Amino acid sequence: MTATNTRRSRRPRGLTAHIVLILAVLISVFPFVWTIVMATNTTQDIYKSPPKMTPGSHLLENIRHVLDTIDFFGSMLNTVVVACVTTVLVLFVDSLAAFTFAKFDFPGRRVLFATLLGFMMLPLQLAVLPQFILMSHLGWVGTLQALIPPALANAFGIFWLRQYIEGGVPDELLDAARIDGAGFFRQYWNIVLPMIRPALSFLAIYAFVGAWNDYIWPLVVLTDPGHLTLQVALAQLHVGHTTDYSMVMAGVLMASVPLVIVFTIFARGFIAGATEGAVQGS
Amino acid sequence: MPGRLGGPGPARFRPRRTPPAGSVPPRRRGPLSYWRQYLAISPFYLVFLAFSFFPVFYSLYLAFQHWDGLGTMRFVGLQQFRFLWKDPVFWLSVRNTLVIWVLSTVPTLFGALVLATLLHSVRRFKGFYRIALYVPNVTSIVAVSIFFGAVFSDNFGLVNAILGMVGISPVPWLSNPWLIKLVIALLMTWMWTGYNMIIYLAGLQAIPTQIYEAAKLDGAGPVRTFFQITLPVMRPIILFTVVISTINGLQSFSEPQVLFASNAANANLGGPGQAGLTTLLYFYQSAFLNNDYGYGAAIVWAFFVLIMVLVVVNWRIVQRGRKS
């Protein structure tokens, strides 16, 4: 009796939950769909009243227009290079430091780690102006290498990997390796790195997406129009007196597609990783 | 396990395996014998010192100087801050930032909690919902801002076109000071609801189901269960998201910068009436467009103090809720 009651009362509740969730999904996906509609039509079609609501056949034309206006592939290449270099370096630097903090005791360990945590709280914008001055002293303003060093001071990555290594890499295993004569670096390279692969792949996507989407720093430091990243180039499409929205949205679409594909491939692991870090971070 | 390799080191540490290979007999060790450890963390700390630690304090130093970035620096003491205190544009930017922050944070966190609760209750399509609702967070702010600019365009945007079909005259989304803030807040809500939902969902999944079963046995309905069990258990996680949203939400910069980029030429950033001029945008304008480095540093430091005050206030409010 009670069982049928709960079942009956649960079913409609589950249905409303699905309806609300599907509505939310529609809202969250709508901009992607509408971007496609705008990018495949002419601006005139979109400005008509009522506007054209279905994809059209002008995508190639709009893309050609984008390629004429900005150096799309050049800035895409710049972005890929910067994001890849940043990601690889962040993974190496952070995992090495995280391993050290998780498994070793050395004078100053606690002070150093506390400094790192404290700085995680500071807004990065406090540093932007002096970073720019520093880059101009180095002669790096306008060059791509200016984008990488600030992104390497990724305290979150160390904090997050340290949690993972502490819980996920047993001390006994490291002891055994030590008895077999493995030194510090061999333990890191042969034991720790393979064991923390899930955590590393999360951090890789996190760092890659962060570098790919970064805007304020490239905007400040990349002064040479020939050396822009994708986001800055994209924003430049938008500037100007003509608002050819179809063309602009074709650019937005071209810039978003690679990232959305990467994300959907790795989404499951990434979201699982994000929640782990988030809850532990609280 | 404990003590086998535990050398000198403070006893209150948890036992950690530390001796480098080869030093099996425990002996007194100076800091130099830990060179491997220091070497391993040094790449991070070198970058950190040069590109985070030093710059943060250097910008505090700059805030007390008058400097255009080229000429000589002149120490002016608190003058920049005194000017800041009387600068109407600074206060306008602070008001704009706070309004945008409230308009976006409240619906974001509320919506995230509702969606997380619903998502936790359903059995099917969980993975699909999580990914579909999170995807806005990995898109670029630039792309999203351009999109919102197109959709809310005063003359031709989709929103006004739809309103027009129902017979409502066009709404000046991107010229009315309040509507400008509303559009920016909507944009941020769209981007951040999924992110917070994922965090809440992780918290919900950590609550043992026995508690809910006990509540059900005691005859508590879904609403009572939510307010009497879910909310109290989730309080630390809600606190975490409130702090993160305060820090993130007050840093809105790219949204208005891209949205009103066409106005960059006339130096009045932030759109008509500077209604979308956030404090970080004002910082960017002062430091990098007007080359007033000292004033830019003063703005960003004053703003940092404001963020910290708000974080503490928020923290207190959420903590007080726990006692009552």
Side-chain angles (χ1 to χ4, degrees), chain A residues 18 28 47 102-103 105 107 112 125-126 130-131 175 213 215 231 275, chain B residues 13 16-17 38 45 51 55 59 129 132 138 140 156 198 251 257:
Chain A
H18 278 292
S28 94
Y47 283 176
K103 294 294 179 190
D105 200 2
L112 286 169
Q125 285 78 4
L126 285 180
Q131 278 173 354
D175 284 343
N213 283 340
Y215 180 61
Q231 302 307 327
T275 53
Chain B
F13 280 173
R16 272 167 204 282
R17 301 333 164 75
Y38 291 122
Y45 278 95
F51 293 99
S59 76
Y129 287 133
V138 291
S140 87
F156 313 104
I198 294 288
Q251 294 180 31
Q257 205 274 342

PDB file of all heavy atoms in Angstrom, chain A residues 18 28 47 102-103 105 107 112 125-126 130-131 175 213 215 231 275, chain B residues 13 16-17 38 45 51 55 59 129 132 138 140 156 198 251 257:
ATOM      1  N   HIS A  18      12.146  16.414 -14.867  1.00  0.00           N
ATOM      2  CA  HIS A  18      12.676  16.302 -16.228  1.00  0.00           C
ATOM      3  C   HIS A  18      12.258  17.490 -17.078  1.00  0.00           C
ATOM      4  O   HIS A  18      13.058  17.998 -17.867  1.00  0.00           O
ATOM      5  CB  HIS A  18      12.193  15.003 -16.877  1.00  0.00           C
ATOM      6  CG  HIS A  18      13.024  13.812 -16.489  1.00  0.00           C
ATOM      7  ND1 HIS A  18      14.321  13.675 -16.899  1.00  0.00           N
ATOM      8  CD2 HIS A  18      12.762  12.735 -15.717  1.00  0.00           C
ATOM      9  CE1 HIS A  18      14.824  12.546 -16.405  1.00  0.00           C
ATOM     10  NE2 HIS A  18      13.890  11.966 -15.675  1.00  0.00           N
ATOM     11  N   SER A  28      20.408  26.648 -21.987  1.00  0.00           N
ATOM     12  CA  SER A  28      21.870  26.639 -21.989  1.00  0.00           C
ATOM     13  C   SER A  28      22.430  26.302 -23.372  1.00  0.00           C
ATOM     14  O   SER A  28      23.546  26.690 -23.694  1.00  0.00           O
ATOM     15  CB  SER A  28      22.408  25.718 -20.897  1.00  0.00           C
ATOM     16  OG  SER A  28      22.671  24.445 -21.393  1.00  0.00           O
ATOM     17  N   TYR A  47      17.824  40.367 -39.900  1.00  0.00           N
ATOM     18  CA  TYR A  47      17.222  41.653 -39.525  1.00  0.00           C
ATOM     19  C   TYR A  47      15.782  41.787 -40.010  1.00  0.00           C
ATOM     20  O   TYR A  47      15.115  42.749 -39.703  1.00  0.00           O
ATOM     21  CB  TYR A  47      18.058  42.807 -40.098  1.00  0.00           C
ATOM     22  CG  TYR A  47      19.325  43.070 -39.325  1.00  0.00           C
ATOM     23  CD1 TYR A  47      20.242  44.019 -39.750  1.00  0.00           C
ATOM     24  CD2 TYR A  47      19.584  42.382 -38.145  1.00  0.00           C
ATOM     25  CE1 TYR A  47      21.396  44.273 -39.030  1.00  0.00           C
ATOM     26  CE2 TYR A  47      20.741  42.622 -37.429  1.00  0.00           C
ATOM     27  CZ  TYR A  47      21.647  43.573 -37.885  1.00  0.00           C
ATOM     28  OH  TYR A  47      22.786  43.819 -37.173  1.00  0.00           O
ATOM     29  N   ALA A 102      53.024  16.782  -1.014  1.00  0.00           N
ATOM     30  CA  ALA A 102      52.175  15.718  -0.480  1.00  0.00           C
ATOM     31  C   ALA A 102      52.976  14.675   0.284  1.00  0.00           C
ATOM     32  O   ALA A 102      52.504  14.127   1.273  1.00  0.00           O
ATOM     33  CB  ALA A 102      51.402  15.053  -1.620  1.00  0.00           C
ATOM     34  N   LYS A 103      54.179  14.379  -0.154  1.00  0.00           N
ATOM     35  CA  LYS A 103      54.863  13.201   0.376  1.00  0.00           C
ATOM     36  C   LYS A 103      56.168  13.498   1.113  1.00  0.00           C
ATOM     37  O   LYS A 103      56.825  12.570   1.551  1.00  0.00           O
ATOM     38  CB  LYS A 103      55.141  12.217  -0.771  1.00  0.00           C
ATOM     39  CG  LYS A 103      53.893  11.631  -1.387  1.00  0.00           C
ATOM     40  CD  LYS A 103      53.145  10.745  -0.401  1.00  0.00           C
ATOM     41  CE  LYS A 103      51.876  10.187  -1.041  1.00  0.00           C
ATOM     42  NZ  LYS A 103      51.011   9.532  -0.056  1.00  0.00           N
ATOM     43  N   ASP A 105      58.565  16.012   3.865  1.00  0.00           N
ATOM     44  CA  ASP A 105      58.586  16.985   4.937  1.00  0.00           C
ATOM     45  C   ASP A 105      59.919  17.697   4.854  1.00  0.00           C
ATOM     46  O   ASP A 105      60.957  17.051   4.823  1.00  0.00           O
ATOM     47  CB  ASP A 105      58.473  16.229   6.267  1.00  0.00           C
ATOM     48  CG  ASP A 105      58.004  17.148   7.354  1.00  0.00           C
ATOM     49  OD1 ASP A 105      57.747  18.318   7.047  1.00  0.00           O
ATOM     50  OD2 ASP A 105      57.892  16.687   8.492  1.00  0.00           O
ATOM     51  N   PRO A 107      62.047  21.667   5.799  1.00  0.00           N
ATOM     52  CA  PRO A 107      61.918  22.944   6.508  1.00  0.00           C
ATOM     53  C   PRO A 107      61.250  23.991   5.623  1.00  0.00           C
ATOM     54  O   PRO A 107      61.606  24.128   4.464  1.00  0.00           O
ATOM     55  CB  PRO A 107      63.374  23.343   6.817  1.00  0.00           C
ATOM     56  CG  PRO A 107      64.150  22.087   6.712  1.00  0.00           C
ATOM     57  CD  PRO A 107      63.438  21.191   5.753  1.00  0.00           C
ATOM     58  N   LEU A 112      55.561  27.788   3.035  1.00  0.00           N
ATOM     59  CA  LEU A 112      55.487  27.893   1.578  1.00  0.00           C
ATOM     60  C   LEU A 112      54.091  27.547   1.071  1.00  0.00           C
ATOM     61  O   LEU A 112      53.533  28.231   0.213  1.00  0.00           O
ATOM     62  CB  LEU A 112      56.527  26.972   0.933  1.00  0.00           C
ATOM     63  CG  LEU A 112      57.974  27.444   1.032  1.00  0.00           C
ATOM     64  CD1 LEU A 112      58.925  26.336   0.608  1.00  0.00           C
ATOM     65  CD2 LEU A 112      58.195  28.681   0.182  1.00  0.00           C
ATOM     66  N   GLN A 125      43.941  40.472 -11.061  1.00  0.00           N
ATOM     67  CA  GLN A 125      44.047  41.807 -11.650  1.00  0.00           C
ATOM     68  C   GLN A 125      44.990  42.708 -10.873  1.00  0.00           C
ATOM     69  O   GLN A 125      45.521  43.658 -11.414  1.00  0.00           O
ATOM     70  CB  GLN A 125      42.671  42.457 -11.721  1.00  0.00           C
ATOM     71  CG  GLN A 125      41.786  41.915 -12.817  1.00  0.00           C
ATOM     72  CD  GLN A 125      41.160  40.591 -12.454  1.00  0.00           C
ATOM     73  OE1 GLN A 125      41.335  40.115 -11.332  1.00  0.00           O
ATOM     74  NE2 GLN A 125      40.461  39.985 -13.378  1.00  0.00           N
ATOM     75  N   LEU A 126      45.208  42.387  -9.587  1.00  0.00           N
ATOM     76  CA  LEU A 126      46.148  43.180  -8.810  1.00  0.00           C
ATOM     77  C   LEU A 126      47.529  43.149  -9.451  1.00  0.00           C
ATOM     78  O   LEU A 126      48.313  44.085  -9.311  1.00  0.00           O
ATOM     79  CB  LEU A 126      46.254  42.628  -7.381  1.00  0.00           C
ATOM     80  CG  LEU A 126      45.111  42.914  -6.431  1.00  0.00           C
ATOM     81  CD1 LEU A 126      45.392  42.289  -5.079  1.00  0.00           C
ATOM     82  CD2 LEU A 126      44.933  44.409  -6.264  1.00  0.00           C
ATOM     83  N   PRO A 130      51.777  45.605 -12.979  1.00  0.00           N
ATOM     84  CA  PRO A 130      53.217  45.319 -12.877  1.00  0.00           C
ATOM     85  C   PRO A 130      53.681  44.218 -13.819  1.00  0.00           C
ATOM     86  O   PRO A 130      54.803  44.281 -14.317  1.00  0.00           O
ATOM     87  CB  PRO A 130      53.396  44.899 -11.419  1.00  0.00           C
ATOM     88  CG  PRO A 130      52.262  45.504 -10.709  1.00  0.00           C
ATOM     89  CD  PRO A 130      51.126  45.470 -11.673  1.00  0.00           C
ATOM     90  N   GLN A 131      52.827  43.241 -14.078  1.00  0.00           N
ATOM     91  CA  GLN A 131      53.200  42.206 -15.054  1.00  0.00           C
ATOM     92  C   GLN A 131      53.473  42.840 -16.407  1.00  0.00           C
ATOM     93  O   GLN A 131      54.422  42.484 -17.104  1.00  0.00           O
ATOM     94  CB  GLN A 131      52.076  41.169 -15.193  1.00  0.00           C
ATOM     95  CG  GLN A 131      52.079  40.104 -14.119  1.00  0.00           C
ATOM     96  CD  GLN A 131      50.858  39.207 -14.209  1.00  0.00           C
ATOM     97  OE1 GLN A 131      49.956  39.437 -14.989  1.00  0.00           O
ATOM     98  NE2 GLN A 131      50.833  38.176 -13.388  1.00  0.00           N
ATOM     99  N   ASP A 175      57.827   3.725  -0.621  1.00  0.00           N
ATOM    100  CA  ASP A 175      58.860   3.061   0.193  1.00  0.00           C
ATOM    101  C   ASP A 175      59.502   1.916  -0.575  1.00  0.00           C
ATOM    102  O   ASP A 175      60.725   1.774  -0.621  1.00  0.00           O
ATOM    103  CB  ASP A 175      58.242   2.516   1.484  1.00  0.00           C
ATOM    104  CG  ASP A 175      57.985   3.638   2.478  1.00  0.00           C
ATOM    105  OD1 ASP A 175      58.571   4.722   2.291  1.00  0.00           O
ATOM    106  OD2 ASP A 175      57.202   3.426   3.412  1.00  0.00           O
ATOM    107  N   ASN A 213      40.598  30.592 -23.477  1.00  0.00           N
ATOM    108  CA  ASN A 213      39.574  31.621 -23.295  1.00  0.00           C
ATOM    109  C   ASN A 213      40.088  32.896 -22.655  1.00  0.00           C
ATOM    110  O   ASN A 213      39.328  33.843 -22.495  1.00  0.00           O
ATOM    111  CB  ASN A 213      38.434  31.072 -22.437  1.00  0.00           C
ATOM    112  CG  ASN A 213      37.531  30.152 -23.228  1.00  0.00           C
ATOM    113  OD1 ASN A 213      37.517  30.211 -24.454  1.00  0.00           O
ATOM    114  ND2 ASN A 213      36.802  29.311 -22.537  1.00  0.00           N
ATOM    115  N   TYR A 215      41.265  36.444 -21.824  1.00  0.00           N
ATOM    116  CA  TYR A 215      41.020  37.634 -22.630  1.00  0.00           C
ATOM    117  C   TYR A 215      41.766  38.861 -22.120  1.00  0.00           C
ATOM    118  O   TYR A 215      42.462  39.534 -22.879  1.00  0.00           O
ATOM    119  CB  TYR A 215      39.515  37.918 -22.687  1.00  0.00           C
ATOM    120  CG  TYR A 215      39.173  39.130 -23.513  1.00  0.00           C
ATOM    121  CD1 TYR A 215      39.487  39.181 -24.859  1.00  0.00           C
ATOM    122  CD2 TYR A 215      38.540  40.224 -22.938  1.00  0.00           C
ATOM    123  CE1 TYR A 215      39.183  40.295 -25.621  1.00  0.00           C
ATOM    124  CE2 TYR A 215      38.231  41.343 -23.698  1.00  0.00           C
ATOM    125  CZ  TYR A 215      38.554  41.372 -25.036  1.00  0.00           C
ATOM    126  OH  TYR A 215      38.255  42.464 -25.784  1.00  0.00           O
ATOM    127  N   GLN A 231      40.741  35.043 -29.056  1.00  0.00           N
ATOM    128  CA  GLN A 231      39.722  35.838 -28.354  1.00  0.00           C
ATOM    129  C   GLN A 231      39.863  37.316 -28.682  1.00  0.00           C
ATOM    130  O   GLN A 231      38.863  38.013 -28.869  1.00  0.00           O
ATOM    131  CB  GLN A 231      39.823  35.623 -26.832  1.00  0.00           C
ATOM    132  CG  GLN A 231      39.681  34.189 -26.381  1.00  0.00           C
ATOM    133  CD  GLN A 231      38.438  33.532 -26.910  1.00  0.00           C
ATOM    134  OE1 GLN A 231      37.401  34.155 -27.090  1.00  0.00           O
ATOM    135  NE2 GLN A 231      38.532  32.244 -27.202  1.00  0.00           N
ATOM    136  N   THR A 275      34.132  18.363  -9.739  1.00  0.00           N
ATOM    137  CA  THR A 275      33.372  18.255  -8.492  1.00  0.00           C
ATOM    138  C   THR A 275      34.280  17.812  -7.355  1.00  0.00           C
ATOM    139  O   THR A 275      34.184  18.335  -6.256  1.00  0.00           O
ATOM    140  CB  THR A 275      32.218  17.263  -8.633  1.00  0.00           C
ATOM    141  OG1 THR A 275      32.754  16.048  -9.129  1.00  0.00           O
ATOM    142  CG2 THR A 275      31.183  17.774  -9.570  1.00  0.00           C
TER     143      THR A 275
ATOM    144  N   PHE B  13      53.923  16.880  13.018  1.00  0.00           N
ATOM    145  CA  PHE B  13      53.598  16.540  11.633  1.00  0.00           C
ATOM    146  C   PHE B  13      53.081  15.120  11.545  1.00  0.00           C
ATOM    147  O   PHE B  13      53.506  14.250  12.292  1.00  0.00           O
ATOM    148  CB  PHE B  13      54.845  16.626  10.755  1.00  0.00           C
ATOM    149  CG  PHE B  13      55.193  18.021  10.353  1.00  0.00           C
ATOM    150  CD1 PHE B  13      56.376  18.277   9.683  1.00  0.00           C
ATOM    151  CD2 PHE B  13      54.343  19.074  10.643  1.00  0.00           C
ATOM    152  CE1 PHE B  13      56.690  19.554   9.305  1.00  0.00           C
ATOM    153  CE2 PHE B  13      54.656  20.351  10.268  1.00  0.00           C
ATOM    154  CZ  PHE B  13      55.849  20.593   9.610  1.00  0.00           C
ATOM    155  N   ARG B  16      55.612  11.507   7.539  1.00  0.00           N
ATOM    156  CA  ARG B  16      55.777  11.611   6.100  1.00  0.00           C
ATOM    157  C   ARG B  16      57.073  10.948   5.718  1.00  0.00           C
ATOM    158  O   ARG B  16      58.049  11.010   6.452  1.00  0.00           O
ATOM    159  CB  ARG B  16      55.849  13.085   5.687  1.00  0.00           C
ATOM    160  CG  ARG B  16      54.505  13.663   5.432  1.00  0.00           C
ATOM    161  CD  ARG B  16      54.610  15.156   5.346  1.00  0.00           C
ATOM    162  NE  ARG B  16      53.318  15.744   5.665  1.00  0.00           N
ATOM    163  CZ  ARG B  16      52.311  15.791   4.810  1.00  0.00           C
ATOM    164  NH1 ARG B  16      52.455  15.320   3.612  1.00  0.00           N
ATOM    165  NH2 ARG B  16      51.173  16.323   5.164  1.00  0.00           N
ATOM    166  N   ARG B  17      57.088  10.355   4.551  1.00  0.00           N
ATOM    167  CA  ARG B  17      58.280   9.669   4.084  1.00  0.00           C
ATOM    168  C   ARG B  17      59.179  10.703   3.489  1.00  0.00           C
ATOM    169  O   ARG B  17      58.811  11.349   2.540  1.00  0.00           O
ATOM    170  CB  ARG B  17      57.906   8.626   3.043  1.00  0.00           C
ATOM    171  CG  ARG B  17      56.964   7.617   3.574  1.00  0.00           C
ATOM    172  CD  ARG B  17      57.254   7.610   4.969  1.00  0.00           C
ATOM    173  NE  ARG B  17      56.372   7.045   5.924  1.00  0.00           N
ATOM    174  CZ  ARG B  17      56.194   5.777   6.137  1.00  0.00           C
ATOM    175  NH1 ARG B  17      56.728   4.898   5.373  1.00  0.00           N
ATOM    176  NH2 ARG B  17      55.461   5.387   7.133  1.00  0.00           N
ATOM    177  N   TYR B  38      63.537  21.119  -2.605  1.00  0.00           N
ATOM    178  CA  TYR B  38      63.535  22.542  -2.957  1.00  0.00           C
ATOM    179  C   TYR B  38      63.655  22.725  -4.462  1.00  0.00           C
ATOM    180  O   TYR B  38      63.000  23.596  -5.045  1.00  0.00           O
ATOM    181  CB  TYR B  38      64.663  23.280  -2.227  1.00  0.00           C
ATOM    182  CG  TYR B  38      64.435  23.372  -0.747  1.00  0.00           C
ATOM    183  CD1 TYR B  38      65.345  22.852   0.162  1.00  0.00           C
ATOM    184  CD2 TYR B  38      63.279  23.968  -0.257  1.00  0.00           C
ATOM    185  CE1 TYR B  38      65.112  22.921   1.520  1.00  0.00           C
ATOM    186  CE2 TYR B  38      63.043  24.047   1.102  1.00  0.00           C
ATOM    187  CZ  TYR B  38      63.964  23.520   1.992  1.00  0.00           C
ATOM    188  OH  TYR B  38      63.718  23.589   3.321  1.00  0.00           O
ATOM    189  N   TYR B  45      57.860  28.280  -7.617  1.00  0.00           N
ATOM    190  CA  TYR B  45      58.063  29.466  -6.784  1.00  0.00           C
ATOM    191  C   TYR B  45      58.824  30.567  -7.501  1.00  0.00           C
ATOM    192  O   TYR B  45      58.595  31.743  -7.213  1.00  0.00           O
ATOM    193  CB  TYR B  45      58.720  29.080  -5.456  1.00  0.00           C
ATOM    194  CG  TYR B  45      57.677  28.573  -4.500  1.00  0.00           C
ATOM    195  CD1 TYR B  45      57.424  27.219  -4.385  1.00  0.00           C
ATOM    196  CD2 TYR B  45      56.888  29.450  -3.780  1.00  0.00           C
ATOM    197  CE1 TYR B  45      56.429  26.747  -3.558  1.00  0.00           C
ATOM    198  CE2 TYR B  45      55.885  28.998  -2.956  1.00  0.00           C
ATOM    199  CZ  TYR B  45      55.662  27.638  -2.846  1.00  0.00           C
ATOM    200  OH  TYR B  45      54.653  27.193  -2.037  1.00  0.00           O
ATOM    201  N   PHE B  51      56.057  36.599 -11.180  1.00  0.00           N
ATOM    202  CA  PHE B  51      54.875  37.017 -11.917  1.00  0.00           C
ATOM    203  C   PHE B  51      53.606  37.134 -11.082  1.00  0.00           C
ATOM    204  O   PHE B  51      52.557  37.478 -11.603  1.00  0.00           O
ATOM    205  CB  PHE B  51      54.637  36.077 -13.105  1.00  0.00           C
ATOM    206  CG  PHE B  51      55.715  36.180 -14.138  1.00  0.00           C
ATOM    207  CD1 PHE B  51      56.744  35.255 -14.172  1.00  0.00           C
ATOM    208  CD2 PHE B  51      55.732  37.224 -15.040  1.00  0.00           C
ATOM    209  CE1 PHE B  51      57.754  35.360 -15.116  1.00  0.00           C
ATOM    210  CE2 PHE B  51      56.738  37.333 -15.984  1.00  0.00           C
ATOM    211  CZ  PHE B  51      57.754  36.406 -16.016  1.00  0.00           C
ATOM    212  N   PRO B  55      54.635  41.263  -8.392  1.00  0.00           N
ATOM    213  CA  PRO B  55      53.716  42.228  -9.003  1.00  0.00           C
ATOM    214  C   PRO B  55      52.614  42.723  -8.070  1.00  0.00           C
ATOM    215  O   PRO B  55      52.276  43.900  -8.090  1.00  0.00           O
ATOM    216  CB  PRO B  55      53.123  41.449 -10.177  1.00  0.00           C
ATOM    217  CG  PRO B  55      54.168  40.490 -10.549  1.00  0.00           C
ATOM    218  CD  PRO B  55      54.811  40.078  -9.255  1.00  0.00           C
ATOM    219  N   SER B  59      52.285  46.648  -7.290  1.00  0.00           N
ATOM    220  CA  SER B  59      51.137  47.487  -7.645  1.00  0.00           C
ATOM    221  C   SER B  59      50.678  48.294  -6.430  1.00  0.00           C
ATOM    222  O   SER B  59      50.174  49.406  -6.582  1.00  0.00           O
ATOM    223  CB  SER B  59      49.997  46.659  -8.227  1.00  0.00           C
ATOM    224  OG  SER B  59      49.312  45.970  -7.229  1.00  0.00           O
ATOM    225  N   TYR B 129      22.373  15.681 -18.699  1.00  0.00           N
ATOM    226  CA  TYR B 129      22.008  16.972 -18.113  1.00  0.00           C
ATOM    227  C   TYR B 129      23.236  17.697 -17.574  1.00  0.00           C
ATOM    228  O   TYR B 129      23.404  18.899 -17.751  1.00  0.00           O
ATOM    229  CB  TYR B 129      21.010  16.788 -16.963  1.00  0.00           C
ATOM    230  CG  TYR B 129      19.620  16.412 -17.387  1.00  0.00           C
ATOM    231  CD1 TYR B 129      18.928  15.384 -16.764  1.00  0.00           C
ATOM    232  CD2 TYR B 129      18.975  17.105 -18.419  1.00  0.00           C
ATOM    233  CE1 TYR B 129      17.645  15.045 -17.139  1.00  0.00           C
ATOM    234  CE2 TYR B 129      17.698  16.765 -18.803  1.00  0.00           C
ATOM    235  CZ  TYR B 129      17.036  15.731 -18.161  1.00  0.00           C
ATOM    236  OH  TYR B 129      15.762  15.397 -18.549  1.00  0.00           O
ATOM    237  N   ALA B 132      25.244  19.046 -20.551  1.00  0.00           N
ATOM    238  CA  ALA B 132      24.534  20.091 -21.306  1.00  0.00           C
ATOM    239  C   ALA B 132      24.406  21.371 -20.483  1.00  0.00           C
ATOM    240  O   ALA B 132      24.436  22.470 -21.026  1.00  0.00           O
ATOM    241  CB  ALA B 132      23.154  19.584 -21.724  1.00  0.00           C
ATOM    242  N   VAL B 138      32.334  26.584 -20.290  1.00  0.00           N
ATOM    243  CA  VAL B 138      33.613  26.441 -20.991  1.00  0.00           C
ATOM    244  C   VAL B 138      33.659  27.234 -22.286  1.00  0.00           C
ATOM    245  O   VAL B 138      34.655  27.196 -22.997  1.00  0.00           O
ATOM    246  CB  VAL B 138      33.978  24.962 -21.300  1.00  0.00           C
ATOM    247  CG1 VAL B 138      34.299  24.221 -20.046  1.00  0.00           C
ATOM    248  CG2 VAL B 138      32.901  24.292 -22.083  1.00  0.00           C
ATOM    249  N   SER B 140      33.858  30.825 -24.414  1.00  0.00           N
ATOM    250  CA  SER B 140      34.630  32.018 -24.091  1.00  0.00           C
ATOM    251  C   SER B 140      33.702  33.201 -23.839  1.00  0.00           C
ATOM    252  O   SER B 140      32.655  33.344 -24.476  1.00  0.00           O
ATOM    253  CB  SER B 140      35.607  32.335 -25.211  1.00  0.00           C
ATOM    254  OG  SER B 140      34.997  33.128 -26.185  1.00  0.00           O
ATOM    255  N   PHE B 156      17.602  45.443 -34.093  1.00  0.00           N
ATOM    256  CA  PHE B 156      17.314  44.258 -34.882  1.00  0.00           C
ATOM    257  C   PHE B 156      17.408  42.960 -34.090  1.00  0.00           C
ATOM    258  O   PHE B 156      17.209  41.904 -34.643  1.00  0.00           O
ATOM    259  CB  PHE B 156      18.301  44.164 -36.057  1.00  0.00           C
ATOM    260  CG  PHE B 156      18.473  45.438 -36.803  1.00  0.00           C
ATOM    261  CD1 PHE B 156      19.604  46.218 -36.637  1.00  0.00           C
ATOM    262  CD2 PHE B 156      17.485  45.864 -37.675  1.00  0.00           C
ATOM    263  CE1 PHE B 156      19.756  47.388 -37.346  1.00  0.00           C
ATOM    264  CE2 PHE B 156      17.636  47.036 -38.385  1.00  0.00           C
ATOM    265  CZ  PHE B 156      18.777  47.816 -38.217  1.00  0.00           C
ATOM    266  N   ILE B 198      26.970  22.044 -10.598  1.00  0.00           N
ATOM    267  CA  ILE B 198      27.838  20.873 -10.470  1.00  0.00           C
ATOM    268  C   ILE B 198      28.391  20.781  -9.040  1.00  0.00           C
ATOM    269  O   ILE B 198      28.444  19.703  -8.436  1.00  0.00           O
ATOM    270  CB  ILE B 198      28.989  20.960 -11.494  1.00  0.00           C
ATOM    271  CG1 ILE B 198      28.449  20.863 -12.914  1.00  0.00           C
ATOM    272  CG2 ILE B 198      30.026  19.885 -11.245  1.00  0.00           C
ATOM    273  CD1 ILE B 198      27.970  19.501 -13.303  1.00  0.00           C
ATOM    274  N   GLN B 251      34.504  40.736 -10.553  1.00  0.00           N
ATOM    275  CA  GLN B 251      35.578  40.988 -11.510  1.00  0.00           C
ATOM    276  C   GLN B 251      35.071  41.086 -12.937  1.00  0.00           C
ATOM    277  O   GLN B 251      35.818  40.843 -13.877  1.00  0.00           O
ATOM    278  CB  GLN B 251      36.631  39.887 -11.414  1.00  0.00           C
ATOM    279  CG  GLN B 251      37.354  39.906 -10.095  1.00  0.00           C
ATOM    280  CD  GLN B 251      38.393  38.814  -9.991  1.00  0.00           C
ATOM    281  OE1 GLN B 251      38.968  38.421 -10.983  1.00  0.00           O
ATOM    282  NE2 GLN B 251      38.630  38.335  -8.792  1.00  0.00           N
ATOM    283  N   GLN B 257      33.302  45.048 -21.722  1.00  0.00           N
ATOM    284  CA  GLN B 257      34.360  45.504 -22.633  1.00  0.00           C
ATOM    285  C   GLN B 257      34.044  45.069 -24.060  1.00  0.00           C
ATOM    286  O   GLN B 257      34.172  45.849 -24.994  1.00  0.00           O
ATOM    287  CB  GLN B 257      35.716  44.947 -22.183  1.00  0.00           C
ATOM    288  CG  GLN B 257      36.919  45.773 -22.633  1.00  0.00           C
ATOM    289  CD  GLN B 257      37.401  45.395 -24.020  1.00  0.00           C
ATOM    290  OE1 GLN B 257      37.081  44.341 -24.527  1.00  0.00           O
ATOM    291  NE2 GLN B 257      38.153  46.295 -24.639  1.00  0.00           N
TER     292      GLN B 257
END
